[in-house]
Amino acid sequence: MTTRLIDLKHLQKKFGQQTVLADVSLHVDAGQILGLIGPSGAGKSTAIKIALGMEVADGGDALVLATHMPNRPLLGRIGYMAQDDSLYDALTGAENLRFFGRMKGVKKDALAADIAHVADVVDLTPALAKRVSGYSGGMRRRLSLAIALLGDPELLVLDEPTVGIDPALRRKIWHELHQLRDAGRGVLITTHVMDEAELTDEVALLLDGKVMAYDAPAKLEALYQVKTIEEVFLKAEGVA
Amino acid sequence: MRALYIARRVVTELIRDKRTLALMFVAPVLIMFLMKLIFTQSASTSVKVATVDLNNNVRTTLNDIKHVAVSKKASNASAQQALRDQKVDAVIHETSASHYTITYANTDATKTSLVKAGFNAALTQNGMKTLKQTTVKLSRTVSQMAATIARLSPQAAAAMKQPKAKAQPRAKIKSRYNYGDKNTDFFDKIVPILMGFFVFFFVFLISGMALLKERTTGTLDRLLATPVRRGEIVLGYMISYGILALIQTVIIVLTTVGFMGVEITGSLGAVMVINFLLALVALAFGILLSTLAQSEFQMMQFIPIIVIPQIFFSGIVSLDSLASWVKDISYVLPLTYAGNAMTQIIMDGTKLTSLGVDIGVLLLFLLVLTGLNVRGMRRYRKV
């Protein structure tokens, strides 16, 4: 049996009167990519925040790497990339990587090699010495992803990682994600791009704080008798 | 260890932000210099007074008083007109013998009080003059009487033997100043408080803004998604801005002493220690309040509420005569304690060891605020 990296059971979360998560159960195994799709405000980011321990669920249980969240030391084994770029503009790309590497607790003698590796993955090596304030939108996104990859984490949590990235680079990033998966890492990814959902191993469709559909992309398409995940999405939402 | 890396990052960011650096280091010195100019220049005011039917002697005496110029008006109406036209600052009208009505323009309180004081002095001097003349007359009568007695009975005259008037030596006053010299003015009194205020103001604003920016750009979330402790983030900020505050303090203290010639009776080191302590309190304060602000503009809104009141209650104006509840306000403001300690060090030469209460309260502020900051970051990560 494979290791279960993320195991969210019947999560419930309310902000004031508003119910954001009604009943959400998700799991990510080692060597698996789980895509989380759903309209804005469906609760994708909240589910991620609970998995990281930024928020605490009102009900249910969040197990990550066999540990109940929130748990601080565990965060060093997770790579997280937020929706916004979250970079220090006054610092260079290399300085950003070095800083977050240290915060994650990457060993000092391994840090330089690690930075060189992740910069290569996102194709940023030539721009590392430049200040982030001079980066283009795509470069910022790539640097942000590189930071998430630092320290070779067992689990990656990526919130909309491919927004604003051109197709060639997007393909490269997915190639890298598939390689990570094949190396036994787990990936939880949210996305708005429906054809990206086809590249995942399993898709969870989140709507109004509930999981509406949860299976492999091909199986979902068969179940809804449609050709693409986009159509599944529209059908589940009741638009088409 | 992580705290040091955070501190290093914050310092690197600051060094690359030249404008903020200039604000922290140049602005306070510039403002202090301007205040020095203003408070030194406005030391002497002069007034013009119009008099109506005023006793000639009193008028001459008043005219002889420094910074007071007197002009005689024929009627009260023309004098009042001059007052309305702002040609004179006050009108003195002797309605009947020794009954005076004074009308002040009162647009400048300093001038009003100068006229009051000047007129009182003139009246007193004039009274003395009259008294002197009476005395002279009296002594003349006495000597005439003595002459008459001598003519009538020489023995009695010998017994009486008029005491010879001795020349009274003129009174001499020698002034000695415990602090400063005869040029010590209002600026010198407020310098210790101003120094503290600038340190407080700039550190409060810039550190608060920095953490706010970290929150709004999302880097705080990202930072909290690593195993870093909340306390390490707060400590990292304390170290970096502490270093900055230290440099700022040294610059402000050295320029006020060297460049503006303010005398420090106590030790320079003690002044810096208090300033530094205040800077740390300001830092913790700024970080705490930044969690209540949603934008840079909202951070600015704390200036009139948190920063400006401190300057009023910190000892720039003496609070001794105020109602006790007003004085109580000052006890919750950190600048009160720093201002008090600095005034004592600079003016009286008090040693740090005798300022236990002030230092203790500042440390308490620091401890409580830092604790609240570490606790407050739970809003962004629950562990």
Side-chain angles (χ1 to χ4, degrees):
Chain A
M1 195 194 137
T2 50
T3 330
R4 190 142 283 192
L5 299 181
I6 295 185
D7 196 1
L8 307 180
K9 293 176 209 160
H10 306 291
L11 292 185
Q12 289 171 350
K13 181 73 187 171
K14 274 185 185 173
F15 289 115
Q17 290 293 310
Q18 193 196 1
T19 304
V20 181
L21 298 182
D23 180 13
V24 172
S25 297
L26 298 169
H27 53 85
V28 180
D29 293 335
Q32 189 193 29
I33 299 179
L34 172 67
L36 198 55
I37 62 174
S40 300
K44 289 174 294 184
S45 291
T46 308
I48 283 182
K49 282 201 159 161
I50 290 172
L52 289 170
M54 304 275 212
E55 294 290 348
V56 177
D58 299 328
D61 196 8
L63 273 169
V64 175
L65 301 169
T67 313
H68 289 275
M69 293 308 270
N71 181 295
R72 185 183 54 79
L74 198 70
L75 292 168
R77 294 160 66 189
I78 305 173
Y80 170 62
M81 177 180 174
Q83 260 179 25
D84 31 72
D85 292 323
S86 318
L87 302 166
Y88 296 106
D89 280 3
L91 304 184
T92 66
E95 283 167 337
N96 267 286
L97 285 168
R98 206 173 302 135
F99 175 70
F100 280 112
R102 280 167 177 156
M103 290 300 117
K104 271 188 171 174
V106 179
K107 293 271 176 300
K108 218 176 176 181
D109 38 350
L111 189 57
D114 200 11
I115 289 173
H117 169 70
V118 296
D120 187 48
V121 168
V122 298
D123 228 354
L124 263 183
T125 312
L128 276 188
K130 257 177 48 173
R131 295 224 185 134
V132 173
S133 51
Y135 275 27
S136 69
M139 286 164 89
R140 299 170 69 90
R141 218 67 209 123
R142 277 141 68 192
L143 180 60
S144 191
L145 178 63
I147 290 170
L149 295 176
L150 279 170
D152 197 17
E154 293 155 66
L155 174 66
L156 279 172
V157 178
L158 311 175
D159 206 351
E160 309 260 356
T162 53
V163 172
I165 289 188
D166 56 75
L169 187 71
R170 185 188 299 167
R171 181 167 290 181
K172 193 172 184 308
I173 286 174
W174 273 100
H175 177 71
E176 179 65 27
L177 290 180
H178 284 139
Q179 276 198 331
L180 285 167
R181 174 195 62 191
D182 297 342
R185 308 281 179 256
V187 181
L188 172 63
I189 187 168
T190 72
T191 181
H192 264 112
V193 190
M194 291 304 157
D195 57 342
E196 277 189 352
E198 315 268 1
L199 300 169
T200 60
D201 299 319
E202 279 195 314
V203 173
L205 173 58
L206 215 59
L207 201 64
D208 295 329
K210 284 194 275 276
V211 180
M212 301 297 287
Y214 189 11
D215 214 329
K219 283 188 186 163
L220 279 183
E221 282 155 18
L223 184 70
Y224 282 81
Q225 296 169 323
V226 288
K227 291 227 163 44
T228 61
I229 285 294
E230 183 155 0
E231 287 172 281
V232 172
F233 186 99
L234 292 172
K235 228 175 179 173
E237 251 193 296
V239 180
Chain B
M1 204 56 187
R2 285 196 174 95
L4 284 180
Y5 287 128
I6 293 175
R8 203 159 100 187
R9 191 211 83 219
V10 173
V11 169
T12 312
E13 282 184 293
L14 269 168
I15 288 173
R16 292 183 186 168
D17 186 358
K18 300 282 184 285
R19 264 180 73 151
T20 304
L21 275 192
L23 177 76
M24 281 200 90
F25 298 144
V26 182
V29 173
L30 178 73
I31 297 174
M32 294 277 261
F33 178 64
L34 290 177
M35 290 190 92
K36 169 81 179 159
L37 286 183
I38 288 163
F39 284 116
T40 317
Q41 283 309 302
S42 64
S44 68
T45 339
S46 53
V47 288
K48 280 182 237 141
V49 180
T51 59
V52 184
D53 305 331
L54 186 63
N55 177 312
N56 266 332
N57 291 329
V58 179
R59 204 185 67 228
T60 332
T61 325
L62 182 63
N63 201 19
D64 288 343
I65 288 173
K66 246 191 187 175
H67 304 304
V68 180
V70 176
S71 61
K72 198 176 165 184
K73 295 279 181 210
S75 72
N76 195 23
S78 68
Q80 296 296 341
Q81 185 58 46
L83 187 67
R84 271 194 293 277
D85 294 344
Q86 297 173 8
K87 287 195 179 103
V88 295
D89 301 304
V91 172
I92 301 175
H93 185 198
E94 188 165 358
T95 43
S96 58
S98 294
H99 284 77
Y100 311 98
T101 306
I102 310 181
T103 318
Y104 301 101
N106 206 18
T107 47
D108 183 342
T110 328
K111 289 185 175 180
T112 303
S113 45
L114 183 58
V115 174
K116 268 183 200 165
F119 187 60
N120 278 332
L123 279 184
T124 317
Q125 276 185 38
N126 197 52
M128 297 271 279
K129 227 187 257 171
T130 322
L131 202 69
K132 225 176 179 176
Q133 283 163 1
T134 321
T135 319
V136 170
K137 261 187 224 156
L138 255 156
S139 66
R140 215 175 286 147
T141 323
V142 170
S143 30
Q144 278 167 5
M145 274 169 70
T148 322
I149 292 167
R151 246 187 297 127
L152 296 175
S153 124
Q155 296 99 322
M160 260 169 69
K161 203 172 184 198
Q162 208 179 349
K164 215 172 186 182
K166 241 202 211 149
Q168 202 68 35
R170 255 193 79 188
K172 255 193 191 157
I173 300 167
K174 203 169 167 199
S175 307
R176 277 161 60 185
Y177 299 89
N178 266 342
Y179 171 76
D181 52 32
K182 66 176 161 43
N183 294 321
T184 300
D185 49 31
F186 186 57
F187 178 74
D188 296 278
K189 183 186 160 6
I190 62 174
V191 150
I193 294 151
L194 276 186
M195 275 200 291
F197 175 73
F198 284 127
V199 169
F200 186 92
F201 180 65
F202 287 106
V203 172
F204 168 83
L205 201 60
I206 292 170
S207 65
M209 293 272 196
L211 198 73
L212 185 73
K213 191 174 148 220
E214 181 124 37
R215 216 180 75 217
T216 49
T217 58
T219 46
L220 184 65
D221 260 354
R222 171 155 239 165
L223 201 54
L224 287 168
T226 72
V228 70
R229 288 170 200 273
R230 283 172 286 132
E232 287 172 324
I233 298 179
V234 174
L235 188 63
Y237 266 79
M238 296 295 239
I239 296 171
S240 49
Y241 278 91
I243 294 170
L244 209 71
L246 195 64
I247 301 172
Q248 192 194 33
T249 305
V250 170
I251 290 178
I252 293 183
V253 172
L254 289 185
T255 43
T256 39
V257 174
F259 188 48
M260 288 163 223
V262 170
E263 186 201 337
I264 290 181
T265 319
S267 90
L268 207 61
V271 174
M272 292 194 188
V273 167
I274 298 290
N275 254 325
F276 182 59
L277 204 54
L278 179 67
L280 290 182
V281 174
L283 177 62
F285 222 156
I287 292 176
L288 185 68
L289 287 179
S290 77
T291 61
L292 302 176
Q294 299 302 321
S295 65
E296 268 94 347
F297 182 57
Q298 287 195 352
M299 191 69 205
M300 300 291 283
Q301 289 163 4
F302 286 122
I303 296 175
I305 299 169
I306 304 291
V307 182
I308 303 293
Q310 304 227 34
I311 202 163
F312 295 132
F313 289 100
S314 59
I316 276 197
V317 241
S318 176
L319 297 177
D320 294 342
S321 55
L322 295 182
S324 66
W325 67 267
V326 181
K327 269 198 270 186
D328 289 344
I329 298 176
S330 70
Y331 293 131
V332 299
L333 303 174
L335 199 58
T336 308
Y337 301 94
N340 182 39
M342 297 242 272
T343 308
Q344 287 193 44
I345 294 168
I346 293 180
M347 300 242 169
D348 306 331
T350 313
K351 289 204 167 55
L352 272 185
T353 42
S354 340
L355 292 168
V357 176
D358 289 317
I359 293 174
V361 174
L362 284 175
L363 281 175
L364 192 69
F365 265 112
L366 183 60
L367 221 61
V368 170
L369 289 171
T370 309
L372 284 174
N373 278 326
V374 176
R375 175 97 203 135
M377 261 194 207
R378 272 190 95 97
R379 280 173 54 183
Y380 313 116
R381 188 180 71 188
K382 304 300 175 202
V383 66

